[in-house]
Amino acid sequence: MACSWKFWSILLGGVLAWGTFCVAQEEADAEPSEEVEIQAMAEDESEYGYFFDKEKGRQFGDAGVRAILATKPETVLELVKAAKLITQLERYEIAIQMFQKVKSLNPTEEDAYELAVQMGQNYFLALSMDERLAPDGTALGKWVLETLEKRYSDSEVIEGLLRQLSDPQADVRRQALQELRSHSSVAIPAMVLGLGQAETGGEKEALTATLWTFGEAAVDAVTAVLDSEDETLRAAALEFLAMQSAVRYPMAEVALYRAVAMGWSETVAGKSVPKQEVAEYLQKRLTTVLQDKAQLLAIGTDATIRVLWRWSAEKQTLLSQTGNTLEVLEWEAYQLATALWHLLPNHPGVRQQYLLTTFEQIVSEVGTSSEAILASERYQAILEADFTTTEMEALLRNCLEKRFYTAAILAVVFLGESQEVAWLQPRAGETLSTLVQTLKSPNRSLRFAGLETIMKWQPQKPFPGSSLVMETLVWFLTTEGKSKVLIVERDIPEANILGGRFLSHGYAFDMATSAKEMFERATSSSDYVLVAIDMDILNQVPDLILQPFSQSAKLADLPIVLLAWSEDYQEAEKLAETTPRCVWFPYPTMDSDLELLLTQTQRIFTSTVISPQQREAETRKCLAWALEIAHSHQGGWVEKRSFAAEKTEESGVPQTLYDISDLSQPLIPMLMKTTFAKEAADALAWLGTPTVQSALVSVALAGKDTPEISQKCVAALEQNILRFGVLLTTQQIADLYEQYNTTRKSDKVMLKIRGAILDALEKPLLPPQKEEGRIDN
């Protein structure tokens, strides 16, 4: 392919130069009018009819197109190669016609295989998504990919290709190798499995030689086979790794040492190694991997694309998936730590490393939901291994120091199940306990896990940092139940256009027109998953303006995208390199640009992006906790629940844990959200303030078109007044009566709402109602 492109590049360069010379010579000799030139070009059109654009005049690349068409491509392969070259000259209309001609030739499966071998599968993957060549070009790309997938999912085809690797004819072997290399995701597993099933030395030798051509990918795949229970297959894998280790391939050697630690092998490449040496080798490698991972997490972004190989016990085969360097490091750390734990099960440091790496794998498999974590098989295995809460607290402390927040989530969940409230108290010389410190973590998921654990314990006495509980709860309640993007742009119409593009991808958006407003908004909602900042907002001191993002727990994990125009590209790139969790992107002017932007933000390590289902589930939990706290913090005759200590001897008034004065702030806006209105109203019914009663009245009156919300607000108002009395001003009450008296009888809905509000105000003044079977004294 490289030679072919080089040939065409030389040919096109020569033709372009010659064409330019000829045109200049013709103009010097004859200087024909523009009309005459257009007519001459029009008469010389080929079957594609696009040598010259009569409206735009001569376009760059016309001479190149002529040179390509002069080769007269006819076959499927020739046409696709020509279309690719013409696409690079930006003559998409001609390329589309070529793809149409390919379609008219009714290409076969063999054509698809030849295209993949000659041009590479990646080209057709890109072609299938290139809207400039739709519909014919994209259709061809999808057809080739589907045909290849069908072919390589056929076990008989794969087996036939593997047999051809040891064929006497060189051309047959070469063709088989090219096909297998074009679809490595299924070819490598087939060859690896074939190592354990080879019946002759020749077959095994051919498979080994072919696998060697895949380099690192083959070593990673063969290493994954070690997790298989098939001893024959494992032995073949160890033999292959030993050969790779002989040429000092590092990862092959690591795999061999791990195999010895796990008891799968007694030697490393035929050499017996003492247990202590194995442990030292694995520990040294694990330390390096954890350091690399910590450094990558500190940077906050990873643009790499890596293939991850896993052994599937369920399907008894190798599976590949696309990942990045961080995922590769986490998986390697888990394998190394597991091997060390098998070797030294009682070593404190090894046990900590095993917990750390295993917890990260659990979160990568099931997510951060505590229910999913508790139900996972790996977590149950941890419980059966008799790890103590002291070990978990030490792990949590270590994770917070090194910013391994994913593992910290599991440690918090484990402590939460222990019901040991003593962990809320700090150690000597500390201000806050390790568990309470999670409420100050920049990781959203860890903060929620810490809050959930503390609310599960229902502490009855104040503890250091208890104020952080209410602060965290209030922040999680500042939600609309959907993911949002904050667009920071001075030009409001431009921001609205960009926001519309985000809406089409499922993201709501808010706007800010200054750096000050940006931080005020960003800290006011738990829904933001991205901040898109126009470089113009940053002025001349971008580092100073972005500094609060790394200093605030609510913002430190929020991805930043710097939107730049052409004159700002260099500065944006430089700033993105020095700012954690930050990337830059040219200002999106089309929907396709935004798709690329969202793809690029996936490079950022963040906990802000969660599913809508998880966001709603977390909000409902927070609403339930808000109701419980509000209920428990009322004095006098109100029934007591949890979260309140015994009455003090001096005053006889219950001592409360939390300051609930800010709780109404996020709950009142939630009255307007149908999804959460009932839960918000239930909690507000227990907050006896004039602001709450005024809000319930206002939302009830505004709910003419949403009668369910009005009914919930009136019911909450009635309960609130019965508990705390009427807290509205006399003027507000007078206005409500005036509004009711002036309401038209024909407006039955509003008349009913206003009447219900007045009934709630008057109910405490009415005599107690007798209920059947009960006599009021």
Side-chain angles (χ1 to χ4, degrees), residues 279-294 332-333 336-337 340 353 402 404:
E280 290 176 356
Y281 179 93
L282 293 176
Q283 185 61 68
K284 182 179 179 181
R285 177 63 188 175
L286 178 57
T287 301
T288 300
V289 171
L290 291 176
Q291 288 174 347
D292 291 344
K293 189 184 75 169
E332 184 183 352
L336 292 169
L340 275 168
Q353 291 169 334
K402 296 183 178 179
F404 292 156

Side-chain angles (χ1 to χ4, degrees), residues 72-285:
K72 297 184 178 179
E74 295 294 337
T75 68
V76 170
L77 180 59
E78 291 171 349
L79 285 166
V80 175
K81 283 185 174 181
K84 180 180 179 181
L85 293 173
I86 289 176
T87 300
Q88 293 168 346
L89 295 176
E90 300 183 359
R91 297 307 299 271
Y92 309 115
E93 66 278 16
I94 303 179
I96 289 174
Q97 289 193 51
M98 286 189 164
F99 288 128
Q100 290 173 346
K101 189 170 182 179
V102 170
K103 181 179 179 181
S104 69
L105 294 177
N106 296 319
T108 64
E109 291 184 3
E110 292 301 325
D111 291 323
Y113 310 148
E114 184 181 15
L115 287 171
V117 170
Q118 296 293 327
M119 303 185 65
Q121 187 178 353
N122 288 339
Y123 166 70
F124 294 99
L125 179 62
L127 180 62
S128 67
M129 298 183 291
D130 194 338
E131 295 183 358
R132 300 169 303 180
L133 300 173
D136 301 283
T138 54
L140 177 66
K142 292 176 182 177
W143 174 78
V144 171
L145 293 174
E146 291 171 359
T147 304
L148 292 175
E149 188 65 31
K150 181 180 178 181
R151 174 177 175 82
Y152 293 118
S153 62
D154 187 339
S155 60
E156 293 184 2
V157 172
I158 296 296
E159 290 173 5
L161 291 172
L162 295 180
R163 286 193 296 270
Q164 291 174 16
L165 291 175
S166 54
D167 192 280
Q169 300 182 28
D171 289 343
V172 175
R173 295 197 303 271
R174 190 182 304 109
Q175 179 67 23
L177 176 59
Q178 286 179 326
E179 282 209 50
L180 289 169
R181 287 183 64 83
S182 69
H183 213 74
S184 60
S185 61
V186 293
I188 289 179
M191 286 186 284
V192 172
L193 296 174
L195 286 175
Q197 302 169 356
E199 298 178 356
T200 66
E203 291 179 1
K204 196 169 187 177
E205 184 179 340
L207 288 170
T208 301
T210 305
L211 273 172
W212 273 58
T213 67
F214 286 91
E216 182 181 359
V219 173
D220 292 342
V222 174
T223 299
V225 167
L226 295 179
D227 293 322
S228 168
E229 297 295 329
D230 188 329
E231 294 185 4
T232 303
L233 181 57
R234 189 184 288 163
L238 288 170
E239 183 180 348
F240 177 83
L241 292 170
M243 288 187 291
Q244 291 283 12
S245 177
V247 294
R248 303 301 298 171
Y249 198 99
M251 295 311 299
E253 187 176 54
V254 172
L256 292 173
Y257 274 94
R258 186 171 72 91
V260 173
M262 296 295 293
W264 299 332
S265 175
E266 296 180 355
T267 62
V268 175
K271 177 184 175 183
S272 179
V273 183
K275 177 180 177 181
Q276 184 64 28
E277 183 180 331
V278 173
E280 290 176 356
Y281 179 93
L282 293 176
Q283 185 61 68
K284 182 179 179 181
R285 177 63 188 175

Side-chain angles (χ1 to χ4, degrees), residues 338-359:
T338 302
L340 275 168
W341 185 53
H342 275 268
L343 203 61
L344 304 170
N346 298 317
H347 190 284
V350 170
R351 289 169 69 87
Q352 287 282 296
Q353 291 169 334
Y354 173 70
L355 284 174
L356 167 67
T357 57
T358 303
F359 282 175

Side-chain angles (χ1 to χ4, degrees), residues 639-658:
E639 177 188 355
K640 302 307 298 176
R641 277 193 182 179
S642 57
F643 305 109
E646 299 295 331
K647 295 181 179 180
T648 60
E649 294 181 0
E650 294 80 9
S651 64
V653 177
Q655 180 184 11
T656 56
L657 265 74
Y658 309 120

